[in-house]
Amino acid sequence: MTTLVFVHGWSVTSTAVYGAMPRRVQEAARSAGLALTVHDIYLSEYVSFDDAVTMGDLVRAFDRALRDLHLSTGSVACITHSTGGPVVREWLRAQRDTPGSYSTIRLSHLVMLAPANFGSALARLGKGTLGRLKAWFNGVEPGQRILDWLELGSAASLSLNLDHIHGADPAAKGQFLFVLTGDRPDRSLYDHLNSYTGENGSDGVVRIASANLNACHAVLAVAAGKRGLAADTLSLSLLRGPRCAFKLIAGAAHSGEDQGILAAAAPATVDAIVRCLAVNDAGAYAAVCDAFDTENRARDADKVELEPAGPFAPRVHIHDPRSMLVLRLADDTGEPLTGAGFLLTAGPEASLDQLPPGFLTDRQANAADPCTVTLFLNHALLAGDARVPDPRNPRRTLRAAVASHRPYGARVQPADLAGLVHHVLAASAADEDLFAMLGPHQTTVLDVVLPRRIHEGVFRLTRDLVPHDFRHPDPGPSIAE
C-alpha cells in the first residue's frame, strides 16, 4: 500500500477535524488485506484562513510538503475533504503542465469526500459581513482568495473543470479519482440566516452536482447557414468528460460529528473509501463505477426524508436529483453579453409557461463576472417523475406524478439590438432538446455564443476631401462574414 495523505478543507484550524477517520480507514484496510500502517498515514495542516493565500500558493506548498516526505515508493494516495479535493486536483494539473517546477511524485488514488469541485453557494456569503464576523470570532481571516476560487462560476474553478472535461481519462494512465459525497444536510446545523445550509440537493455546504466530476461542456452557437437578419438559430454541441467513480453516502452531511462525512467516520463511508483504495487497474475501476451507479439508483428511489419537528408533523423533504448549469453568455469575440436575458422554454411550442413548477431551485451570478450565472435545476421535475407516496402511508401522495415537458429550449435576448455594433435575438433550434445536456447530480458548463454584428459605419474610407462631421454615422449594413 502506498503512503496515504489526508487533506482537509477550507478554514480548518486543527487536525481534530479528521476525527477517527484515519484510524478507522487503517483498520478497515488491514481487514481488507491492504498493507496500511500508521506510519504510512500523514495528516495535512494547510492554511486557507489567511486572506493573502491563493490556490496557487497552496499547490506549491503542497508539492514541497510531499517532497519532504522522501517517499521510497515515489507514489502517494490522498483522501481529501471539501476544498482539499480541488487543491490536489490543481496540484495534478500544475505537475502535468510545468513538470520542471513540480515533483515527480505519482498520485495513485484520489478519494474526495464532499469535494467543492465546482465551488459552493456558501462561498460568496463567506466573503460577506457574516463570514468576516465568524472568522473574527475564530481569530482568523475568512481566506478571501480561496473563497474567490470556491465561488460558483469562478474563472479559476471553471478552468480546472473544463481542463478535466476536455482532457484524457486519468484511469487510462493508472490514476484513479473517486468522489464520495453526502446526500443531505445535517438539519441540526441549519443556519436560519443562510438557507443554503439546508438546501436539498446538497450536503449543507456543497451541492451533490458540484462535487460530482461526471460533468459536461455544452456550447450553444450559431451554425453555418443559421444566421438570420432579425434572429439567430443556436445549435447545441456537447462533450462529456471522463467517467469518474461517484457515490452518494446515504445520511451523510458535509460536516458535524454526528453526520459529517469526514468527522463521523461512519462505516458506510469507511467501507466506500477502502473499496476505492483497493482498485489497482482500469478494469477494477470500471467495476467500482458500475457498482456505485447501481447503489446511487437505489438511494434515489428512496428519496423521502421526514425531518422530526417536535410535537408537530415532520417536515417532508423530497431528495430529487438536481442538476447544476453554469451559464456563460458571450459573443464570438469573447465579449460578455452584459444585460442579456436567458430564458428556458418547454414543449413543442417553445413556451415560457410550460416549464414545470419548482424546476428552478436557485440562481447565483458570479461576483467577479456577472455574465456567469449558476442555475440549480430539479432534474427529476424536468425529466418527469412518478407519484411520490408517503412512506408512512403508501396510499397517501406527497407529490403527484409530474409529466415531462420536453423538449426544452432556450431564448437569448441581448440588451443591444441595434447600433454600430450589436447582437440579435437568438433561440435554440426547434428540433433540439437541451435536456440532453443535463445529468442527474451533475454539472454542465454551458457557453452561449452569439455572433457580434459589426456594421460598415464603424470604419469607412472616403475620397471626399471636404471636411465633414461623422459624430452620428449611418450604421449601414453589417459587415458580411
Side-chain angles (χ1 to χ4, degrees), residues 227-277:
R227 182 168 166 172
L229 292 176
D232 288 330
T233 300
L234 302 172
S235 297
L236 179 70
S237 59
L238 184 64
L239 176 68
R240 299 188 184 279
R243 189 183 188 190
C244 179
F246 170 74
K247 179 171 172 57
L248 294 167
I249 305 296
H254 193 82
S255 54
E257 294 183 0
D258 293 331
Q259 291 180 236
I261 194 168
L262 177 63
T269 307
V270 174
D271 174 72
I273 290 172
V274 172
R275 291 166 69 186
C276 296
L277 294 177

Side-chain angles (χ1 to χ4, degrees), residues 3 27 32 40 60 87 149 198 297 323 333 366 412 424 449 481:
T3 298
E27 293 170 351
D40 300 317
R60 291 175 61 187
V87 169
W149 195 104
R297 286 192 292 271
S323 301
T333 69
N366 184 268
V412 185
V424 300
V449 184
E481 298 296 335

Side-chain angles (χ1 to χ4, degrees), residues 309-325:
F312 305 103
R315 300 182 185 92
V316 176
H317 301 275
I318 299 175
H319 291 281
D320 289 323
R322 264 76 171 179
S323 301
M324 205 162 75
L325 182 66

Side-chain angles (χ1 to χ4, degrees), residues 100-284:
S101 301
Y102 288 86
S103 69
T104 58
I105 295 170
R106 176 178 172 272
L107 181 76
S108 60
H109 297 71
L110 175 55
V111 184
M112 294 172 275
L113 307 181
N117 283 320
F118 284 87
S120 168
L122 287 170
R124 186 166 182 179
L125 302 177
K127 296 188 292 182
T129 302
L130 288 176
R132 290 200 167 274
L133 282 173
K134 182 178 179 181
W136 181 80
F137 279 116
N138 289 334
V140 296
E141 295 175 337
Q144 177 78 31
R145 302 295 294 278
I146 304 303
L147 287 171
D148 287 343
W149 195 104
L150 291 171
E151 186 175 347
L152 294 177
S154 76
S157 69
L158 290 177
S159 172
L160 178 64
N161 290 308
L162 288 172
D163 180 80
H164 173 76
I165 292 170
H166 288 264
D169 185 355
K173 60 178 181 180
Q175 193 173 77
F176 307 113
L177 275 59
F178 309 84
V179 171
L180 313 177
T181 193
D183 69 343
R184 66 195 59 191
D186 183 342
R187 305 294 174 186
S188 67
L189 300 179
Y190 179 72
D191 182 349
H192 291 275
L193 296 177
N194 184 354
S195 61
Y196 285 124
T197 59
E199 185 179 52
N200 288 331
S202 82
D203 64 3
V205 174
V206 174
R207 291 168 176 169
I208 296 171
S210 185
N212 195 353
L213 277 182
N214 294 293
C216 298
H217 183 203
V219 178
L220 270 177
V222 178
K226 298 293 186 179
R227 182 168 166 172
L229 292 176
D232 288 330
T233 300
L234 302 172
S235 297
L236 179 70
S237 59
L238 184 64
L239 176 68
R240 299 188 184 279
R243 189 183 188 190
C244 179
F246 170 74
K247 179 171 172 57
L248 294 167
I249 305 296
H254 193 82
S255 54
E257 294 183 0
D258 293 331
Q259 291 180 236
I261 194 168
L262 177 63
T269 307
V270 174
D271 174 72
I273 290 172
V274 172
R275 291 166 69 186
C276 296
L277 294 177
V279 168
N280 54 16
D281 58 42

Side-chain angles (χ1 to χ4, degrees), residues 1 10 169 184 230 239 298 332 364 366 409 421 444 446 456 478:
M1 180 66 192
W10 168 75
D169 185 355
R184 66 195 59 191
L239 176 68
D332 52 8
Q364 187 180 117
N366 184 268
V421 178
T444 298
L446 173 61
E456 66 176 24
S478 64

Side-chain angles (χ1 to χ4, degrees), residues 170-478:
K173 60 178 181 180
Q175 193 173 77
F176 307 113
L177 275 59
F178 309 84
V179 171
L180 313 177
T181 193
D183 69 343
R184 66 195 59 191
D186 183 342
R187 305 294 174 186
S188 67
L189 300 179
Y190 179 72
D191 182 349
H192 291 275
L193 296 177
N194 184 354
S195 61
Y196 285 124
T197 59
E199 185 179 52
N200 288 331
S202 82
D203 64 3
V205 174
V206 174
R207 291 168 176 169
I208 296 171
S210 185
N212 195 353
L213 277 182
N214 294 293
C216 298
H217 183 203
V219 178
L220 270 177
V222 178
K226 298 293 186 179
R227 182 168 166 172
L229 292 176
D232 288 330
T233 300
L234 302 172
S235 297
L236 179 70
S237 59
L238 184 64
L239 176 68
R240 299 188 184 279
R243 189 183 188 190
C244 179
F246 170 74
K247 179 171 172 57
L248 294 167
I249 305 296
H254 193 82
S255 54
E257 294 183 0
D258 293 331
Q259 291 180 236
I261 194 168
L262 177 63
T269 307
V270 174
D271 174 72
I273 290 172
V274 172
R275 291 166 69 186
C276 296
L277 294 177
V279 168
N280 54 16
D281 58 42
Y285 184 73
V288 166
C289 289
D290 290 342
F292 283 176
D293 287 349
T294 299
E295 293 158 19
N296 291 339
R297 286 192 292 271
R299 175 270 172 202
D300 284 340
D302 182 21
K303 61 183 180 179
V304 176
E305 176 192 357
L306 300 176
E307 178 192 0
F312 305 103
R315 300 182 185 92
V316 176
H317 301 275
I318 299 175
H319 291 281
D320 289 323
R322 264 76 171 179
S323 301
M324 205 162 75
L325 182 66
V326 183
L327 171 67
R328 302 194 294 186
L329 298 169
D331 65 24
D332 52 8
T333 69
E335 287 292 315
L337 296 177
T338 304
F342 179 83
L343 304 172
L344 291 172
T345 63
E349 303 302 319
S351 171
L352 299 174
D353 300 320
Q354 293 301 311
L355 289 159
F359 82 95
L360 178 62
T361 303
D362 181 65
R363 73 185 81 187
Q364 187 180 117
N366 184 268
D369 180 10
C371 288
T372 299
V373 181
T374 300
L375 307 178
F376 199 34
L377 308 172
N378 189 313
H379 186 273
L381 295 182
L382 289 171
D385 196 33
R387 164 185 171 270
V388 178
D390 189 332
R392 297 161 296 182
N393 181 358
R395 294 185 178 183
R396 291 183 55 197
T397 298
L398 292 179
R399 186 176 71 199
V402 179
S404 171
H405 293 203
R406 299 173 66 180
Y408 295 106
R411 297 180 193 171
V412 185
Q413 298 179 345
D416 55 342
L417 295 174
L420 288 169
V421 178
H422 68 99
H423 306 85
V424 300
L425 300 172
S428 56
D431 58 350
E432 200 100 66
D433 186 1
L434 300 189
F435 187 77
M437 68 182 180
L438 302 177
H441 307 305
Q442 295 181 13
T443 293
T444 298
V445 180
L446 173 61
D447 285 313
V448 178
V449 184
L450 300 189
R452 188 176 179 86
R453 306 300 180 102
I454 306 169
H455 288 252
E456 66 176 24
V458 170
F459 197 119
R460 287 189 173 102
L461 298 175
T462 179
R463 300 179 67 180
D464 186 355
L465 302 184
V466 178
H468 65 278
D469 190 309
F470 59 92
R471 283 178 293 180
H472 305 289
D474 175 13
S478 64

